[in-house]
């Protein structure tokens, strides 16, 4: 310990002069006052106060030097996050991932030259969670299997806990989920908090930080400790020449005889336009192909159709040919599985007259091999009901009878054709059991009257009360797709959005439409009137709405049958087939012994509340009214959870429950009715959200900034050895100093004030004032 003064020579002279002057004045005062003891004490107090003030002018500090007894320490931090699975490091023989390059260097113990003069501690940061899959999703661009993320400490660190090999600590059930990403700031902050003799920090990363604060802030605190940060930018700042097949949401199942749409996305990082062929193949060979044109450095999103045949589980492979200049040649294909089921969708069509729309709709559904259709045609004015094949004489009047239908079409019917009890059954079927309802108004104007029944809040639109019978015109009108309708599965009549818009523009139009005022809140408008509008905008004529567990579709024209003109059944059959399958999709996610299970969302992520809706039936087909339905949920790690589903009011056999997945992967669901024979086994695939993206260019600018700020250096992967030699030549850290500024301490100022107070009070008592 030693004293240090920060005053200039001038301040020293001034302080001595002031102190000397004060001493002379005090001597003269003592002499003039008779040289008494009291005056001597008072003048000594004044002289001491002035001396303390003069000392404060010299800025004295008590300096304590802490000399290290430990060996200097070099901290090596390497990035174990998911973005390190990007493959853009070119070696002499091939292109490897960033993580693979790090693994090669770690196995070679590149830090060995540093151990001659320092203790080396090697740690990772931001490793992916234990329950997450490989950092890069299968088929993602530049993806490769993640290497072993186990850190290799050269020496044990006593100042911080060792990193857990490649995993994060286990999380207790119900604990908040830590986001997955790269937190470079926290890694550097832990270096700041280390209490050892830290000589330097070496960081090997791609710089793609997406969690925590800016890493520049802790870098500034390391600079204050005279600790330089050296960085190695692992990755390329530009994309390598590549044609990548990106991940898409592929349907998990389809129905036998159905045209299954398999979406795909292709990203080009090539400087020229590419014309290529996308192939879809099963184990038996190619089943579908499609020609596409990909612009330079552009992306194409499209779909390829596969006509599903016999039922079964089919391994599929989607691929594009490798271009000659591609460096990454193994991300041009994807593999997945599609289950083909032989299920028959039950449809009920209800109308009052055999109008053209009804006839062609009935024929389209009857010719669909995946649809079993029943028709209830109730003529107005008591003229009876329609009879013949696929006709029923009465409306399904019980839950048992109506529960078998996946979709119900209501045509130009109102309270005279279907009763209040029938409306209650339709509402319960859609709301509770997840069936679909299609509303097809007609020129009789009967359907708007259903707005006065329990179906009122199911109707997606509001009607003009004075235009119940709709609007006619001698001019042909058309349906105009909205931005939502251009790519919607219901309205997709081509294989791309641009082609789909062209198809809809070419379709024959209509001469009548329903008297619609506007779409209700919470609906999705897919198509509007090409000409008519009001204060709310163009008239909505194709509108969907989710109601309870099911869906509702409103189509405000009666001329879809005219789409057959010149092309026969091409678009008419496809449209109604898509409508039936889209609206019944939720009911057929999983089926078992007298039980159906639907879940929302269909593609859940970790932390989402997954809603389970089970519909349970008796052997007779009647919905179970009393039961104890239990779901046993098994996580990928083997952890199990028992969920008792609660019966929903209404007697529709619907039981509801939910669970929150805490891991990513496939969850096994075992659903049983403990009071009956009903059971079901299925799986739900849960995705873990991540901020990490593979295939992105490295963010090397922040690494250069950190190194420049702290007095370190930045290097490319090829210059790692040179950087190690540079760190090895660093001098040992200077001893740490702790400075106590005496002149700025509160008690120092208080002492001066106290002395002056005593001096003034003494003079007052002595009669000097």
């Amino acid at each position: 310990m030693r004293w240090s003064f920060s005053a200039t020579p001038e301040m020293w002279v001034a302080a001595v002069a002031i102190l000397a002057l004060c001493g002379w004045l005090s001597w003269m005062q003592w002499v003039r006052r008779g040289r008494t003891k009291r005056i001597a004490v008072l003048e000594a107090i004044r002289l001491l106060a002035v001396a303390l003030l003069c000392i404060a002018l010299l800025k004295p500090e008590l300096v304590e030097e802490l000399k290290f007894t430990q060996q200097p320490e070099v901290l090596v931090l390497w990035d174990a996050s998911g973005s390190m699975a990007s493959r853009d490091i070119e070696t002499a023989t091939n292109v490897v991932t960033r993580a693979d390059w790090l693994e090669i260097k770690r196995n070679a113990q590149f830090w060995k030259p540093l151990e001659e003069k320092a203790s080396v501690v090697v740690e990772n940061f931001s490793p992916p969670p234990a329950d997450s899959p490989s950092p890069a999703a299968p088929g993602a661009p530049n993806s490769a299997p993640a290497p072993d993320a186990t850190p290799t400490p050269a020496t044990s660190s006593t100042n911080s806990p060792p990193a857990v090999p490649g995993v994060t600590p286990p999380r207790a059930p119900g604990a908040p989920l830590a986001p997955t990403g790269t937190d470079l700031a926290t890694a550097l902050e832990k270096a700041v908090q280390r209490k050892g003799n830290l000589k330097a920090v070496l960081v090997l990363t791609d710089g793609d930080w997406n969690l925590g604060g800016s890493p520049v802030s802790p870098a500034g605190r390391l600079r204050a400790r005279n600790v330089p940060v050296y960085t190695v930018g692992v990755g390329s700042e530009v994309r390598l020449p590549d044609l990548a097949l990106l991940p898409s949401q592929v349907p998990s199942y389809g129905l036998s005889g159905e045209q299954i749409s398999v979406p795909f996305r292709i990203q080009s990082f090539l400087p020229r336009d590419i014309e290529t062929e996308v192939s879809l193949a099963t184990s038996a060979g190619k089943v579908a192909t499609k020609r596409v044109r990909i612009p330079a450095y552009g992306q194409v999103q499209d779909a390829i159709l596969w006509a599903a045949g016999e039922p079964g589980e089919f391994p599929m492979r989607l691929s594009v040919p490798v271009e000659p200049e591609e460096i990454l040649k193994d991300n041009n294909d994807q593999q997945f599985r599609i289950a083909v089921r032989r299920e028959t969708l039950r449809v009920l069509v209800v109308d009052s007259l055999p109008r053209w729309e009804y006839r062609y709709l009935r024929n389209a559904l009857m010719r669909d091999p995946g649809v079993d259709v029943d028709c209830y045609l109730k003529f107005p004015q008591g003229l009876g009901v329609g009879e013949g094949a696929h006709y029923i004489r009465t409306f399904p009047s019980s839950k048992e009878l109506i529960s078998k239908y996946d979709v119900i079409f209501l045509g130009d019917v109102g309270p005279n054709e279907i009763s209040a009890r029938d409306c209650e059954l339709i509402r319960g079927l859609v709301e509770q059991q997840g069936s679909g309802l299609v509303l097809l108004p007609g020129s009789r104007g009967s359907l708007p009257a259903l707005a006065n029944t329990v179906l009122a809040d199911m109707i997606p639109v509001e009607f003009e009360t004075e235009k119940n019978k709709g609007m006619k015109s001698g001019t042909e009108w058309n349906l105009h797709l909205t931005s939502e309708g251009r790519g919607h599965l219901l309205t997709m009549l081509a294989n791309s959005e641009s082609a789909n818009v062209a198809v809809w523009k070419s379709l024959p139009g209509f001469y009548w439409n329903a008297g619609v005022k506007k779409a209700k809140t919470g609906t999705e408008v897919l198509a509007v009137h090409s000409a008519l509008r009001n204060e709310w905008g163009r008239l909505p004529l194709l509108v969907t709405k989710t109601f309870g567990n099911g869906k509702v579709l409103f189509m405000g024209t009666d001329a879809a049958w005219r789409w057959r003109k010149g092309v026969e059944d091409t678009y008419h059959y496809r449209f109604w087939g898509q409508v039936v399958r889209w609206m019944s999709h939720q009911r057929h996610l999983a089926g078992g012994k007298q039980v159906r299970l639907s879940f929302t969302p269909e593609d859940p992520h970790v932390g989402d509340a997954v809603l389970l809706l089970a519909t349970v039936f008796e052997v007779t087909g009647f919905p179970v009214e009393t039961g104890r339905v239990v779901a046993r949920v098994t996580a990928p790690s083997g952890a199990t959870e028992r969920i008792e589903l609660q019966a929903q009011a209404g007697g529709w056999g619907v039981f509801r429950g939910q669970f929150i997945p805490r891991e990513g992967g496939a969850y096994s669901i075992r659903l049983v009715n403990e009071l009956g024979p009903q059971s079901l086994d299925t799986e739900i695939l849960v995705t873990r959200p991540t901020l990490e993206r593979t295939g992105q260019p490295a963010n090397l600018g922040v690494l250069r900034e950190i190194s420049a700020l702290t007095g370190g250096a930045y290097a490319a992967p090829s210059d790692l050895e040179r950087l190690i030699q540079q760190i090895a030549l660093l001098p040992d850290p200077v001893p740490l100093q702790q400075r106590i500024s005496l002149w700025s301490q509160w008690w120092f100022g208080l002492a001066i004030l106290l002395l002056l107070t005593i001096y003034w009070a003494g003079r007052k008592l002595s009669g000097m004032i």
Side-chain angles (χ1 to χ4, degrees):
M1 298 178 64
R2 59 182 176 83
W3 286 97
S4 172
F5 296 88
S6 302
T8 62
E10 292 79 4
M11 292 300 297
W12 277 95
V13 172
V16 172
I18 293 172
L19 187 60
L21 177 63
C22 183
W24 181 77
L25 291 175
S26 295
W27 170 265
M28 296 299 295
Q29 181 73 4
W30 177 64
V31 171
R32 193 175 60 179
R33 294 287 182 178
R35 299 174 183 254
T36 63
K37 184 178 181 180
R38 175 179 293 184
I39 297 302
V41 171
L42 288 176
E43 291 305 320
I45 292 175
R46 179 171 68 168
L47 185 60
L48 178 59
V50 173
L52 291 178
L53 285 172
C54 290
I55 290 174
L57 291 176
L58 301 178
K59 297 183 178 180
E61 292 180 330
L62 184 63
V63 180
E64 181 182 8
E65 288 191 352
L66 303 176
K67 295 185 178 180
F68 294 107
T69 59
Q70 297 176 344
Q71 189 180 16
E73 182 180 89
V74 175
L75 177 61
V76 178
L77 299 173
W78 58 275
D79 191 345
S81 65
S83 63
M84 299 301 287
S86 300
R87 190 155 55 90
D88 55 3
I89 303 292
E90 295 187 68
T91 65
T93 56
N94 60 352
V95 180
V96 300
T97 68
R98 302 167 187 175
D100 283 342
W101 182 85
L102 275 177
E103 182 72 8
I104 294 170
K105 295 301 179 181
R106 283 174 48 228
N107 291 338
Q109 297 188 347
F110 64 87
W111 58 83
K112 277 293 184 181
L114 300 177
E115 292 182 344
E116 297 178 2
K117 296 183 178 181
S119 170
V120 181
V121 178
V122 183
E123 295 180 354
N124 69 1
F125 64 91
S126 300
D131 58 356
S132 69
S134 172
N142 302 325
S143 65
D148 179 15
T150 305
T152 308
T155 61
S156 175
S157 170
T158 58
N159 297 313
S160 63
V164 178
V167 301
T168 53
R171 182 177 55 251
L177 296 168
T180 303
T182 303
D183 192 350
L184 183 55
T186 298
L188 293 177
E189 186 61 40
K190 289 180 179 179
V192 175
Q193 302 302 323
R194 297 181 76 91
K195 298 180 180 179
N197 186 8
L198 190 59
K199 181 178 182 179
V201 177
L202 173 60
V203 183
L204 298 95
T205 177
D206 58 9
D208 187 19
W209 63 277
N210 43 46
L211 280 181
S214 170
V216 176
S217 180
R221 288 189 284 277
L222 286 169
R223 176 189 180 182
R225 285 187 55 184
N226 294 319
V227 178
V229 179
Y230 294 82
T231 57
V232 177
V234 184
S236 173
E237 286 187 286
V238 295
R239 294 297 298 259
L240 299 180
D242 185 33
L243 191 66
L245 195 59
L246 305 181
S248 297
Q249 191 68 36
V250 178
S252 60
Y253 83 93
L255 301 180
S256 179
E258 179 186 0
Q259 291 277 350
I260 300 177
S261 177
V262 179
F264 62 83
R265 290 186 302 146
I266 305 175
Q267 176 69 56
S268 173
F269 297 101
L270 300 176
R272 61 182 178 89
D273 291 356
I274 302 294
E275 288 191 12
T276 188
E277 182 178 82
V278 182
S279 302
L280 181 66
T282 65
S283 56
K286 287 186 181 181
V287 294
T289 60
K290 186 168 189 177
R291 298 290 302 179
V292 293
R293 182 181 181 85
I294 310 162
Y297 299 107
Q299 184 180 121
V300 167
Q301 181 173 339
D302 209 331
I304 189 169
L305 294 178
W306 173 46
E310 292 299 316
E313 187 87 11
F314 291 88
M316 312 293 295
R317 182 174 179 267
L318 191 67
S319 62
V320 293
V322 175
E323 296 298 319
E325 61 267 49
E326 282 193 73
I327 292 180
L328 307 175
K329 301 181 180 181
D330 57 356
N331 56 5
N332 291 46
D333 68 335
Q334 292 179 13
Q335 296 186 14
F336 48 88
R337 304 181 74 87
I338 296 180
V340 177
R341 307 174 189 167
R342 191 184 298 280
E343 293 183 3
T344 301
L345 305 178
R346 300 297 300 273
V347 175
L348 175 62
V349 181
V350 182
D351 214 328
S352 58
L353 289 175
R355 50 185 175 142
W356 291 114
E357 188 75 329
Y358 165 81
R359 294 181 183 183
Y360 282 99
L361 171 62
R362 173 179 174 270
N363 290 342
L365 297 177
M366 288 178 61
R367 294 176 182 178
D368 191 324
V371 174
D372 185 2
V373 62
D374 289 334
C375 299
Y376 177 60
L377 187 63
K378 186 173 183 181
F379 296 108
Q381 300 177 354
L383 297 178
V385 297
E387 297 183 356
H390 294 278
Y391 278 91
I392 56 176
R393 296 191 57 82
T394 60
F395 188 87
S397 57
S398 67
K399 295 175 183 176
E400 176 185 3
L401 294 175
I402 202 171
S403 291
K404 65 182 180 181
Y405 292 111
D406 298 298
V407 183
I408 294 180
F409 286 78
L410 289 185
D412 198 359
V413 296
N416 293 328
E417 289 78 30
I418 56 176
S419 65
R421 170 61 178 168
D422 298 336
C423 292
E424 291 175 359
L425 290 172
I426 294 173
R427 180 188 176 106
L429 182 68
V430 176
E431 183 178 25
Q432 297 291 336
Q433 293 195 3
S435 293
L437 175 64
V438 183
L439 303 174
L440 298 173
S443 57
R444 287 186 62 239
S446 299
L447 191 138
L450 296 180
N452 300 319
T453 68
V454 295
L455 301 181
D457 52 351
M458 297 177 64
I459 302 175
V461 298
E462 292 184 13
F463 294 102
E464 293 277 9
T465 54
E466 65 276 11
K467 298 178 181 178
N468 282 343
K469 293 189 176 182
M471 293 173 280
K472 295 182 181 180
S473 172
T475 303
E476 184 180 25
W477 292 322
N478 296 93
L479 288 170
H480 180 79
L481 292 180
T482 63
S483 57
E484 292 83 3
R486 291 173 185 172
H488 200 282
L489 181 60
L490 282 185
T491 54
M492 185 60 72
L493 301 181
N495 294 329
S496 67
E497 287 192 18
S498 57
N500 188 48
V501 172
V503 168
W504 278 85
K505 287 181 178 179
S506 68
L507 292 177
F510 54 89
Y511 295 91
W512 176 92
N513 63 270
V516 179
K517 181 178 181 181
K518 64 176 182 176
K520 293 181 180 177
T521 303
T523 60
E524 186 175 22
V525 179
L526 304 182
V528 294
H529 201 291
S530 61
L532 297 183
R533 62 172 62 240
N534 55 22
E535 66 271 25
W536 306 100
R538 290 189 179 184
L539 302 187
L541 297 181
L542 194 60
V543 187
T544 66
K545 176 181 182 179
T546 298
F547 185 77
N549 300 322
K551 300 182 179 72
V552 181
L553 171 66
F554 172 84
M555 187 166 184
T557 73
D558 65 348
W561 61 274
R562 300 187 69 244
W563 297 350
R564 301 176 73 255
K565 181 180 179 181
V567 293
E568 296 299 328
D569 305 328
T570 302
Y571 301 126
H572 184 255
Y573 280 22
R574 177 171 176 171
F575 176 75
W576 290 120
Q578 290 175 174
V579 167
V580 170
R581 285 162 177 81
W582 180 75
M583 305 196 78
S584 61
H585 177 81
Q586 194 73 15
R587 274 171 57 110
H588 292 271
L589 283 177
K593 186 178 181 182
Q594 299 162 228
V595 60
R596 286 197 306 262
L597 176 67
S598 63
F599 48 89
T600 304
E602 281 188 47
D603 53 345
H605 290 68
V606 171
D608 289 347
V610 180
L611 177 64
L612 302 176
L613 289 172
T615 307
V616 186
F617 300 93
E618 301 283 5
V619 178
T620 60
F622 195 82
V624 169
E625 294 188 4
T626 58
R628 186 163 66 240
V629 179
V630 175
R632 183 179 180 85
V633 181
T634 304
S637 64
T640 60
E641 180 180 1
R642 184 180 185 275
I643 303 170
E644 187 165 342
L645 279 63
Q646 302 300 313
Q648 301 300 289
W652 285 94
V654 177
F655 295 79
R656 177 184 178 130
Q658 74 173 31
F659 75 99
I660 299 178
R662 299 286 171 179
E663 306 173 22
Y667 278 70
S668 298
I669 310 294
R670 171 70 174 170
L671 195 71
V672 296
N673 178 16
E674 295 183 343
L675 302 182
Q678 297 87 353
S679 64
L680 176 147
D681 290 284
T682 189
E683 281 190 349
I684 297 177
L685 186 63
V686 176
T687 303
R688 183 178 187 90
T690 177
L691 300 175
E692 296 294 285
R693 294 185 299 167
T694 58
Q696 299 300 311
N699 181 17
L700 306 184
V702 69
L703 303 183
R704 297 186 180 98
E705 182 179 359
I706 291 172
S707 296
L709 176 65
T710 59
Y714 166 84
S718 58
D719 293 330
L720 177 59
E721 292 183 5
R722 178 187 59 80
L723 197 66
I724 293 295
Q725 294 299 327
Q726 187 175 345
I727 298 173
L729 295 175
L730 286 175
D732 290 344
V734 298
L736 294 178
Q737 290 185 345
Q738 290 185 351
R739 292 178 173 266
I740 301 176
S741 300
L742 184 65
W743 54 275
S744 63
Q745 299 298 317
W746 64 270
W747 52 265
F748 188 81
L750 184 62
I752 296 174
L753 179 62
L754 181 61
L755 290 172
L756 293 175
T757 303
I758 293 173
Y759 174 72
W760 181 86
R763 286 175 62 86
K764 185 75 174 177
L765 293 174
S766 300
M768 299 171 66
I769 298 177

